[in-house]
Amino acid sequence: MGKPACSKSPGQREHPVLFLQALFLLLFFRHVSSQCKILRCNSEYVAATLNLRGADRSAGYCDALRSYSRCTRRTARTCRGDLAYHSAVHGIEDLMIHNNCSKEGPTSPPRPRPPPNHQGLEPLAMCDYEKSFVYKHGQAPSYQHCAAFGDPHIRTFHDDFHTCRVEGSWPLLDNEYLFVQATSSPVAKGSNATVTSKLTIIFKNMKECIDQKVYQAEIDNLPAAFEDGSVNGGERPGGSSLAIRERSAGRHVEIRAEYIGTTIAVRQAGRQLSFSIRAAEEVARAFTEEQDLQLCVTGCPRSQRISRSECCRGPVAAEVARALCKEMLPVEDVYFQSCVFDVVTSGDANFTMAAHGALEDARVFLPNVEKLHIFQAGAGCPRVSSSSFLLLILTSGLWVVLLHF
């Protein structure tokens, strides 16, 4: 008995079945994606942390993170394969570790969510960079640190470290959100060493959050207010997201710009100013090709760099400077080397405070504390033998006593 003329091979018969299976899977995953409620979890987390203030802020933040984690677990089955969901899960873990939150404990009570605006966040939340970033990306933002102090010495966002000969005005930062300019002048008449004598910081206008604000500091004039006399970002709804406060009268001012995830410290030690910043990585990178001269990004130009090992002659002997700097900086890293260089070339023991302040800012601002100390072999003043060790001890002791009076 012959085969029917229209008979199909087994492989041909399977094609409709495979097509139906593929169609079923496509519809199934589309259904699953539509059922994923990760955006609701994100919104509830933002609402729960929006108004946290005061001493209970840390505990409330942990409660909100536990609620956030519980919400993601409830929607885990329907969110398989959703990138926003997986980013949120990893982000929660990082935030709980960063804030020392235990996995077990109380959670935030359910809160009525305000009607979202066209961007999904109310204006006040949009002016909190960290909350807005978590809402959009499901994880905490990354941060970078830069500093300028002493002769000046520059620590870039990429942890390069240069000692510069720059004189006049140079931009430390120039991007979409911030402009920071340092003006340097000789540390003393006829000296090759320079120090920062003036800092100008411009917080550029951000429609939803702040008016443009300008901060200027000069030696012996470290104001705790912006140029217009205000201490915040103005009358806009997010004006409080930019605030300035005095940490130590005439010596240390801190400016917090929460709307761009940035904190700036300005200090005066002796006859020099120093600058430190902790900036969100996204903010630090928000510049064009034309804005390529930024000391915090590229360091000082090669023609303006000084070798700290070649300039170790000055009013103070290198070994005396070492003893002075060792009092404040026990680890012989680039901060210690910079301190020795500055004290030797300037003869001013106050430079020990400049290097120490920069190190303390780095300790607070650096996202990775393991990168606190930078070591550059052969970059410091070489050790010299002394004909009178006792004289060095007595001299350095006298400097230390003078520092405290």
Side-chain angles (χ1 to χ4, degrees):
M1 191 172 180
K3 293 182 181 179
C6 61
S7 174
K8 296 182 180 179
S9 67
Q12 288 176 308
R13 286 195 301 267
E14 288 174 359
H15 288 173
V17 177
L18 291 174
F19 173 77
L20 290 174
Q21 288 176 339
L23 181 61
F24 171 78
L25 289 173
L26 179 63
L27 292 174
F28 172 76
F29 283 117
R30 186 177 179 183
H31 173 72
V32 167
S33 177
S34 68
Q35 295 299 312
C36 183
K37 304 297 183 185
I38 189 61
L39 292 181
R40 177 180 294 176
C41 296
N42 293 346
S43 299
E44 289 175 353
Y45 167 73
V46 171
T49 56
L50 191 59
N51 297 312
L52 290 178
R53 297 286 187 275
D56 295 329
R57 183 180 185 277
S58 180
Y61 197 57
C62 288
D63 292 352
L65 283 171
R66 282 189 287 267
S67 295
Y68 195 9
S69 179
R70 181 174 295 180
C71 183
T72 60
R73 289 198 299 271
R74 284 199 301 265
T75 193
R77 185 178 62 83
T78 58
C79 286
R80 289 175 185 170
D82 188 288
L83 293 179
Y85 165 76
H86 291 289
S87 296
V89 170
H90 290 299
I92 292 167
E93 291 175 357
D94 291 341
L95 286 171
M96 291 189 76
I97 292 171
H98 180 73
N99 291 278
N100 296 319
C101 300
S102 61
K103 292 185 178 180
E104 302 297 329
T107 57
S108 297
R111 300 187 181 201
R113 289 179 288 122
N117 66 0
H118 65 284
Q119 292 181 332
L121 278 174
E122 62 178 29
L124 200 59
M126 291 173 63
C127 296
D128 186 318
Y129 179 84
E130 185 167 312
K131 289 180 182 178
S132 178
F133 191 94
V134 171
Y135 180 87
K136 293 175 183 176
H137 304 286
Q139 62 183 27
S142 298
Y143 294 93
Q144 294 182 326
H145 168 59
C146 170
F149 66 96
D151 196 341
H153 312 283
I154 306 291
R155 178 173 184 153
T156 73
F157 283 136
H158 310 295
D159 299 318
D160 296 320
F161 198 94
H162 302 149
T163 296
C164 307
R165 188 185 279 109
V166 292
E167 188 172 347
S169 298
W170 293 75
L172 293 173
L173 282 171
D174 183 10
N175 62 40
E176 184 180 338
Y177 304 98
L178 280 169
F179 178 79
V180 181
Q181 180 175 275
T183 301
S184 298
S185 54
V187 67
K189 190 174 182 180
S191 173
N192 288 327
T194 59
V195 293
T196 300
S197 54
K198 181 178 179 180
L199 281 166
T200 301
I201 306 170
I202 300 176
F203 297 87
K204 298 180 181 180
N205 173 72
M206 193 166 177
K207 184 176 180 181
E208 303 87 351
C209 302
I210 70 156
D211 303 318
Q212 178 169 294
K213 294 290 178 176
V214 179
Y215 179 80
Q216 283 200 333
E218 297 183 68
I219 292 175
D220 296 332
N221 181 21
L222 207 66
F226 296 108
E227 243 188 359
D228 61 3
S230 64
V231 294
N232 58 35
E235 300 299 323
R236 301 184 186 186
S240 62
S241 63
L242 175 64
I244 184 170
R245 66 170 178 162
E246 193 172 55
R247 299 292 296 270
S248 177
R251 294 184 180 182
H252 184 189
V253 166
E254 183 178 271
I255 306 173
R256 289 184 176 270
E258 292 183 355
Y259 69 101
I260 51 172
T262 296
T263 304
I264 293 173
V266 177
R267 297 175 182 262
Q268 176 172 341
R271 306 296 298 169
Q272 68 88 45
L273 300 176
S274 62
F275 166 87
S276 293
I277 185 171
R278 176 183 186 257
E281 184 175 334
E282 187 179 48
V283 171
R285 292 182 176 181
F287 58 89
T288 64
E289 292 181 1
E290 289 75 22
Q291 298 167 304
D292 58 343
L293 181 57
Q294 301 181 64
L295 300 191
C296 275
V297 177
T298 58
C300 52
R302 288 189 178 277
S303 62
Q304 300 294 319
R305 297 178 192 176
I306 300 174
S307 171
R308 293 187 298 279
S309 62
E310 295 176 2
C311 301
C312 292
R313 293 182 180 180
V316 178
E319 289 301 316
V320 174
R322 283 180 181 278
L324 285 168
C325 293
K326 199 72 172 178
E327 291 284 329
M328 305 294 291
L329 303 157
V331 179
E332 295 192 14
D333 59 0
V334 291
Y335 294 96
F336 174 84
Q337 293 171 353
S338 300
C339 174
V340 174
F341 176 88
D342 290 346
V343 174
V344 168
T345 55
S346 70
D348 186 355
N350 283 302
F351 276 97
T352 59
M353 299 299 295
H356 179 260
L359 180 63
E360 289 305 300
D361 287 337
R363 198 185 303 278
V364 174
F365 288 168
L366 273 172
N368 184 356
V369 73
E370 293 180 0
K371 294 183 178 181
L372 176 63
H373 299 290
I374 299 174
F375 298 93
Q376 293 179 345
C381 291
R383 293 182 181 275
V384 296
S385 59
S386 173
S387 60
S388 176
F389 180 73
L390 180 59
L391 179 60
L392 288 175
I393 296 297
L394 291 174
T395 306
S396 59
L398 178 60
W399 276 103
V400 171
V401 169
L402 290 174
L403 267 178
H404 290 81
F405 290 93

